[in-house]
Amino acid sequence: VGSAMCSYNKIRTRWSCENPETLQRDLKERLGFRGWVMSDWGATHSMSLAQGLDQEMPGADFMNAAAIEAALASGEVDASRIDDAALRILTPLFGVGAFDINNTNTQRNNVSTPAHTALARSLAARSVVLLKNNGVLPLDRTKPLRVALFGKSARAPVVGGGGSGAVVPAFVPSPYDAIRARLGLSAGTGDCGLLDASEAEGPCVAQSDGDDTLAAYELARRSDIAVVFVATSSGEGSDRASLSFDGNADLLVRAVAAAKGRRTVVACVAPGAALTPWAGEVGAVTYAFLPGQEYADGL
């Protein structure tokens, strides 16, 4: 382990990032930790070098050049402690080879590999929870099904949350494209349109963003299978406004279910618990917990 992070809370009346008992005595001396201690973002309340903190993140409100020079001049911090902090930070970086090769990469580089993509797909597939199934799943691909997809996330799926752990994938397949591929439809074929008076023949896929629930009802009525995609997400710094899915999700599901009943599938994505007041009106419900970029193909 190259680094450890102190947190926002207090430990025995002292802030975690300025607590000499836990940082200096317990972690570094008793446990022999040789890496560096950095603060969680904005978790510092003082420079705290003498207490065992090695790096303030994300800026230098307390651990800046002027403050360190003043602490050295006053004797609050010894120069050997500055050397120790620098050594603790640099040693793990040398240990992992960070200085061996000139780094010309940027955060825009695509470092995905086929093996990683395959793993992401496997994990996404295995993590989907089947909450309900009255026999509508899996889809019977031996029949020329007319599949209607509903919801904005049928084209632009929610696959992750926001905040420090957020990752922007190199690409995110859409459920619309994934289902077309699963049905063996090639580009330029299998578009059901709106399943209007021409009554398109299957297999084919139609898609509606679901803003107009009356139109969604009519499209569902003309399809063989209706799949509604609902989603919500979360991030650091704020709570979810409610336990409901985003937008008009509940109204949309109920409108589609009124037309298609047990031939309705609801595919949910959420960071945790969510309300499903329509569960008794549909045939199947799948639930994925922020499943990553390969959600669509995994599903």
Side-chain angles (χ1 to χ4, degrees), residues 128-139:
V128 174
V129 180
L130 184 62
L131 294 183
K132 178 181 180 179
N133 185 21
N134 285 345
V136 65
L137 293 177
L139 299 183

Side-chain angles (χ1 to χ4, degrees), residues 3-292:
S3 63
M5 177 178 284
C6 51
S7 57
Y8 295 105
N9 54 289
K10 288 183 177 181
I11 302 175
R12 295 176 181 171
T13 73
R14 306 186 88 167
W15 293 111
S16 170
C17 288
E18 57 182 40
N19 193 314
E21 294 180 356
T22 54
L23 300 184
Q24 186 63 40
R25 185 194 67 187
D26 294 343
L27 180 62
K28 293 181 175 180
E29 295 174 9
R30 289 180 174 175
L31 296 179
F33 179 65
R34 302 180 66 181
W36 85 93
V37 177
M38 72 169 70
S39 74
D40 206 338
W41 267 227
T44 52
H45 298 266
S46 64
M47 185 169 57
S48 305
L49 271 166
Q51 287 72 38
L53 182 66
D54 299 302
Q55 182 182 33
E56 176 187 0
M57 294 297 287
D61 291 341
F62 301 99
M63 199 179 289
N64 53 66
I68 292 174
E69 287 175 359
L72 286 170
S74 68
E76 177 187 347
V77 175
D78 191 82
S80 63
R81 176 66 190 98
I82 307 297
D83 293 340
D84 176 61
L87 183 65
R88 286 175 175 275
I89 293 171
L90 292 173
T91 299
L93 294 177
F94 276 103
V96 298
F99 297 102
D100 295 341
I101 301 175
N102 185 31
N103 185 0
T104 59
N105 294 318
T106 72
Q107 291 185 352
R108 294 185 298 274
N109 283 28
N110 180 7
V111 296
S112 299
T113 65
H116 287 165
T117 299
L119 176 61
R121 178 171 178 170
S122 174
L123 293 173
R126 287 184 286 156
S127 67
V128 174
V129 180
L130 184 62
L131 294 183
K132 178 181 180 179
N133 185 21
N134 285 345
V136 65
L137 293 177
L139 299 183
D140 187 353
R141 290 185 292 155
T142 65
K143 297 180 179 179
L145 295 176
R146 295 172 300 174
V147 181
L149 310 182
F150 300 89
K152 292 180 174 61
S153 53
R155 292 274 193 176
V158 173
V159 297
S164 302
V167 176
V168 179
F171 64 94
V172 179
S174 73
Y176 174 82
D177 290 332
I179 289 174
R180 283 179 50 83
R182 189 67 171 171
L183 293 175
L185 302 174
S186 57
T189 66
D191 183 2
C192 295
L194 295 178
L195 294 174
D196 54 19
S198 63
E199 290 295 346
E201 294 184 358
C204 63
V205 179
Q207 192 265 329
S208 165
D209 61 18
D211 287 341
D212 185 338
T213 54
L214 181 58
Y217 171 88
E218 290 298 329
L219 178 58
R221 186 177 61 83
R222 295 187 178 103
S223 69
D224 297 313
I225 295 288
V227 185
V228 188
F229 290 87
V230 299
T232 190
S233 188
S234 64
E236 290 180 297
S238 62
D239 295 326
R240 292 162 60 191
S242 73
L243 290 178
S244 297
F245 290 101
D246 294 344
N248 68 339
D250 292 340
L251 293 174
L252 176 60
V253 171
R254 284 194 152 134
V256 172
K260 212 72 239 163
R262 293 193 174 187
R263 303 291 287 174
T264 303
V265 179
V266 183
C268 309
V269 170
L275 300 175
T276 57
W278 29 257
E281 305 167 34
V282 302
V285 180
T286 66
Y287 208 100
F289 297 91
L290 302 183

